[in-house]
């Protein structure tokens, strides 16, 4: 079931539960993530980032395959364009059937971020597509903590009201691309932003947050929780194990299959963890 983001995000926020949002880089990822959601009977957000689009050289092929899996799923699935900095790519995603877009204007100055975000919101809402945006940087892509980066609740409220976004990514202590789960969220800040901002909050860089931190973050007010690097590590670890265990292995299905299964199992566990089951 391919659905808009708000169809599953709003109810999750109202119930104080988290919604798992996981990145798709290969077809096997999409298969694993849809399978995981079906295994536990929970909705999931499938995210294709602009970086992944650049790596593949185009958006359409991976998007078409991922959308097909979403449409055939027995649970609600959101097809989400992640960290888009190109408005042209946003327009293309609308034509390809995406149901959600994250526009990342965090590197722009405040006025340009607000202006461009409003433009993206207008484009997307005309097509019934939801928009997530980001106020300020979440942290570097180098896997380090960014302790000085925090979102101000008042500014977050103003940004959400000014732009009309449907979800807002905020900086509360996590950082992108962490390979160790040692990040500590500022839970008091999460609660303050949750009280001030009228739309659901999004936690980026969640791979660096341990299980208890994720649960505490959801209870404090985070709703959409993005996890990419951690699941990629699980997938890659399974590939490495199978290649190292058999030097004669050449059939990629023999190592991609177990990797897909490992990712499916971990994604299912995370979906249930975030839903506070």
């Amino acid at each position: 079931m391919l659905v808009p983001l708000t169809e599953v995000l709003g109810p999750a926020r109202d119930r104080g539960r988290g919604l798992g949002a996981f990145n798709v880089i290969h077809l096997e990822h999409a298969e694993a993530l849809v399978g995981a959601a079906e295994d536990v009977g929970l909705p999931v957000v499938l995210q294709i980032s602009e970086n992944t689009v650049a790596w593949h050289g185009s958006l359409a092929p991976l998007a078409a395959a991922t959308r097909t899996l979403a449409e055939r799923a027995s649970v609600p699935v959101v097809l989400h364009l992640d960290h888009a900095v190109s408005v042209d790519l946003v327009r293309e995603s609308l034509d390809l059937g995406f149901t959600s877009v994250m526009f990342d204007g965090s590197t722009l100055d405040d006025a340009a971020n607000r202006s461009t975000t409003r433009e993206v919101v207008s484009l997307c809402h005309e097509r019934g597509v939801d928009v997530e945006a980001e106020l300020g940087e979440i942290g570097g892509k180098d896997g380090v903590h960014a302790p000085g980066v925090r979102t101000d609740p008042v500014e977050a409220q103003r940004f959400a009201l000014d732009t009309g976004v449907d979800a807002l990514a905020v900086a509360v202590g996590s950082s992108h691309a962490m390979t160790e789960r040692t990040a500590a969220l500022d839970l008091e800040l999460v609660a303050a932003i949750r009280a001030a901002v009228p739309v659901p909050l999004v936690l980026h860089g969640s791979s660096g947050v341990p299980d208890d931190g994720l649960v505490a973050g959801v209870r404090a007010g985070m709703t959409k929780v993005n996890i990419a690097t951690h699941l990629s590590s699980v997938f890659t670890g399974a590939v490495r194990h199978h290649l190292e265990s058999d030097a004669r292995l050449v059939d990629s299905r023999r190592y991609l299959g177990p990797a897909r299964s490992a990712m499916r199992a971990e994604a299912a566990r995370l979906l249930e963890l975030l839903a506070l089951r």
Side-chain angles (χ1 to χ4, degrees), residues 98-147:
F98 279 68
T99 57
S100 176
V101 164
M102 188 269 171
F103 176 71
D104 184 355
S106 64
T107 60
L108 303 173
D109 64 58
D110 184 63
N113 186 7
R114 291 170 188 263
S115 175
T116 310
T117 299
R118 283 195 297 268
E119 177 188 352
V120 170
V121 168
S122 179
L123 286 171
C124 291
H125 283 184
E126 286 179 2
R127 303 282 289 273
V129 173
D130 299 316
V131 179
E132 172 191 333
E134 182 172 313
L135 175 64
E137 295 184 353
I138 299 301
K141 293 284 188 179
D142 57 359
V144 301
H145 292 285

Side-chain angles (χ1 to χ4, degrees), residues 153-215:
V154 174
E155 287 302 312
Q157 180 189 63
R158 290 173 180 167
F159 185 88
L161 293 173
D162 186 34
T163 59
V165 296
D166 303 290
L168 186 66
V170 293
V172 292
S174 57
S175 181
H176 288 114
M178 289 185 65
T179 56
E180 295 183 358
R181 304 181 73 194
T182 56
L185 301 181
D186 186 335
L187 300 176
E188 290 186 5
L189 179 58
V190 172
I193 299 172
R194 169 67 174 82
V197 175
V199 299
L201 304 181
V202 183
L203 182 65
H204 286 215
S206 308
S207 291
V209 183
D211 283 359
D212 59 350
L214 293 175
V215 169

Side-chain angles (χ1 to χ4, degrees), residues 17-40:
R17 298 176 180 173
L19 173 67
F22 308 136
N23 282 38
V24 172
I25 301 175
H26 314 289
L27 175 60
E28 289 79 11
H29 289 179
E31 292 170 336
L33 299 176
V34 170
E38 291 181 324
D39 289 343
V40 295

Side-chain angles (χ1 to χ4, degrees), residues 41-65:
L42 289 168
V44 68
V45 181
L46 302 185
Q47 307 194 143
I48 300 177
S49 71
E50 183 159 336
N51 284 341
T52 293
V53 174
W55 185 79
H56 281 286
S58 62
L59 174 60
L62 183 61

Side-chain angles (χ1 to χ4, degrees), residues 56-72:
H56 281 286
S58 62
L59 174 60
L62 183 61
T66 305
R67 179 180 176 181
T68 297
L69 288 166
E71 291 172 337
R72 295 178 179 179

